[in-house]
Amino acid sequence: VVLSDPTDYITSGEGIEGYHALFKNRFIKFKKITKQRKIKINTINMREKIKMVKNVIGHADRKGIFQGMGLTIVVIVLALIFSLINPRFATLSNFLTILTPASYYIILAVGMTFVITSAGIDLSVGSILALITVIGFELIKGGMHPLLGVLIMFFLGGFIGSISGLLITLVKIPPFITTLGMMVSLRGLALIHSAGKMHYGLPESLTWFGQGIVFGVPVPVIISLIFVIFGAWLFNKTKFGVHVKAIGGNREAARLAGVPVNFIEVMVYCFMGLIVALGGLIMIARIDSTQATIGTTMEIHVIAAVIIGGTSLFGGRGSIYGTFVGAILLSMMTNALVIAGVDYFWQLFIMGLIVI
């Protein structure tokens, strides 16, 4: 702002009052210009933030449209080969046999897709499942209403998942270390609680979720398919899913763009815990029993399905459909190896090679 020499106004007869009036007008004009520039700068910054988020997740979203299609072709080709080797493989009953035990793995793998896409990992899913099922099973067998027992299982699952999320976000313990510690400690609590005892004998209202059949289709299969659709909608069509991808793609860029990073991460692990409760309910309802060792190494199978489905271990990119096909591929391979009479230990070796 350029002001004239005040002596000009004094000598010209306007006096010091004239100088003050001019200074006031120039100052007001200066404030208006500064305010306009700030608005322009804030607008540019907001555009940059939006562009930053698009750069973080846009490339992954474009790839995610076709992700899993190649794996689908692999599954179809393998199914044709197995059918030619053994015609029993191509029957409808065998197809349902493949999907039924895969149902709870599919459900857990959907939740793990959110965790891994956010650049995290959860190694504690098997131990969470063991602890909440032995507690819920014992409460129900002790006379508690089945609905209340199931609600307690879901509460415990979400609570434990939230603890993991808080340790990761607030205490800054890496996800691998946090969930590894939770895996060991929760398994220990399950063993302490049940003392190696087998729990069995659920009411029919609960076993229906694992053994029921609707129009010839097992209930676990129906539940898993519905949950896959729900998971795909949540992952691809909601703000929560966009934020998960943004955090996994570039955590700092997501934070600068206004994403509540810590809150979303806690919610991801809480969501995973709730999903473990759902998968655990279907699992114990199907076998009508549980024990402290249930779900051992389950996390390996779940993570393998997610990785085979195309989700990046480094975060930012994932596919619910790919995860679904990956889980079916693992279950189909297991089924084919069983029909072929392959020893269980060789099955483990072959499954490991498939993951690689």
Side-chain angles (χ1 to χ4, degrees), residues 119-124 163-165 167-168 171-186 269:
I121 195 73
D122 195 345
L123 303 176
S124 63
I163 291 176
S164 296
L167 289 174
I168 292 168
V171 189
K172 304 301 180 183
I173 304 175
F176 182 87
I177 302 300
T178 299
T179 58
L180 180 64
M182 294 292 282
M183 177 184 73
V184 177
S185 60
L186 294 176
Y269 285 92

Side-chain angles (χ1 to χ4, degrees), residues 25-198:
N25 291 335
R26 293 288 179 86
F27 183 71
I28 292 173
K29 186 177 181 180
F30 174 75
K31 286 180 67 177
K32 287 182 178 179
I33 293 172
T34 305
K35 187 176 180 180
Q36 290 174 353
R37 287 179 177 175
K38 283 184 177 179
I39 293 173
K40 187 175 181 180
I41 291 171
N42 290 336
T43 303
I44 293 172
N45 288 341
M46 184 57 66
R47 288 173 181 169
E48 289 296 322
K49 288 178 180 180
I50 294 172
K51 185 178 179 181
M52 194 180 300
V53 174
K54 286 182 177 179
N55 287 337
V56 170
I57 64 173
H59 183 64
D61 283 345
R62 287 192 294 269
K63 280 188 173 182
I65 297 174
F66 301 102
Q67 209 167 23
M69 295 301 176
L71 188 60
T72 303
I73 297 174
V74 172
V75 170
I76 293 173
V77 171
L78 287 176
L80 291 174
I81 293 173
F82 293 149
S83 300
L84 292 175
I85 296 174
N86 193 328
R88 288 186 299 168
F89 184 86
T91 60
L92 177 61
S93 61
N94 186 61
F95 181 67
L96 294 177
T97 301
I98 293 172
L99 287 179
T100 302
S103 58
Y104 32 85
Y105 287 106
I106 291 172
I107 292 172
L108 294 178
V110 168
M112 190 64 74
T113 303
F114 282 84
V115 174
I116 295 179
T117 302
S118 69
I121 195 73
D122 195 345
L123 303 176
S124 63
V125 292
S127 298
I128 295 176
L129 187 144
L131 180 61
I132 65 176
T133 55
V134 295
I135 292 176
F137 213 117
E138 186 170 355
L139 290 175
I140 294 171
K141 287 292 292 182
M144 180 178 287
H145 193 279
L147 178 60
L148 183 57
V150 170
L151 290 177
I152 290 176
M153 286 174 55
F154 276 87
F155 170 77
L156 289 175
F159 179 71
I160 295 171
S162 298
I163 291 176
S164 296
L166 290 171
L167 289 174
I168 292 168
T169 57
L170 299 183
V171 189
K172 304 301 180 183
I173 304 175
F176 182 87
I177 302 300
T178 299
T179 58
L180 180 64
M182 294 292 282
M183 177 184 73
V184 177
S185 60
L186 294 176
R187 182 70 65 180
L189 286 177
L191 290 167
I192 292 170
H193 179 271
S194 65
K197 182 175 63 174
M198 171 76 76

Side-chain angles (χ1 to χ4, degrees), residues 176-244:
F176 182 87
I177 302 300
T178 299
T179 58
L180 180 64
M182 294 292 282
M183 177 184 73
V184 177
S185 60
L186 294 176
R187 182 70 65 180
L189 286 177
L191 290 167
I192 292 170
H193 179 271
S194 65
K197 182 175 63 174
M198 171 76 76
H199 302 271
Y200 58 90
L202 282 173
E204 291 186 4
S205 59
L206 291 183
T207 56
W208 180 83
F209 288 98
Q211 303 175 12
I213 296 177
V214 177
F215 299 114
V217 181
V219 171
V221 175
I222 297 175
I223 295 175
S224 64
L225 293 178
I226 292 174
F227 193 78
V228 166
I229 296 172
F230 168 75
W233 169 79
L234 188 66
F235 191 74
N236 297 311
K237 301 296 183 180
T238 67
K239 185 185 294 185
F240 177 71
V242 172
H243 287 173
V244 167

